[in-house]
């Protein structure tokens, strides 16, 4: 997956056991490189997050996900930025 350094590229992530229960602190979050972005909950098997802006031109950064904003799982995918 790749997108502009200005950010905003949607990144769809498929998995299992996604949840969105704000009242219990369960909020899907993506970590793109070292930046956290809140994901949009689509279903228990899909979330979407938007790439944040970055100065990392032509480099790949890992994509990780979390349901509590603290414990992240590496998706095995990366995101590359370009101008």
């Amino acid at each position: 997956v790749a997108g502009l350094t200005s950010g905003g590229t949607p990144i769809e992530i498929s998995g299992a056991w996604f949840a969105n229960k704000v009242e219990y602190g369960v909020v899907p979050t993506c970590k793109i490189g070292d930046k956290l972005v809140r994901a949009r909950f689509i279903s228990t098997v899909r979330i979407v997050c938007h790439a944040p802006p970055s100065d990392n031109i032509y480099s790949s950064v890992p994509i990780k996900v979390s349901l509590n904003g603290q414990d992240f799982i590496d998706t095995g995918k990366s995101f590359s930025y370009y101008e």
Side-chain angles (χ1 to χ4, degrees):
V1 179
L4 295 170
T5 55
S6 58
T9 302
I11 303 169
E12 290 190 25
I13 300 171
S14 298
W17 305 107
F18 290 128
N20 190 42
K21 298 182 187 273
V22 178
E23 64 274 18
Y24 299 112
V26 178
V27 179
T29 304
C30 293
K31 189 173 188 180
I32 314 298
D34 62 353
K35 297 181 180 178
L36 299 178
V37 291
R38 188 169 179 169
R40 185 168 51 110
F41 176 80
I42 304 298
S43 72
T44 59
V45 295
R46 194 172 79 144
I47 59 174
V48 175
C49 48
H50 289 82
S54 178
D55 294 330
N56 293 331
I57 301 171
Y58 306 116
S59 65
S60 290
V61 294
I63 300 171
K64 300 179 181 183
V65 296
S66 172
L67 291 180
N68 64 10
Q70 296 177 357
D71 302 308
F72 286 86
I73 302 288
D74 194 333
T75 64
K77 305 289 182 188
S78 61
F79 187 83
S80 298
Y81 286 97
Y82 59 87
E83 289 187 320

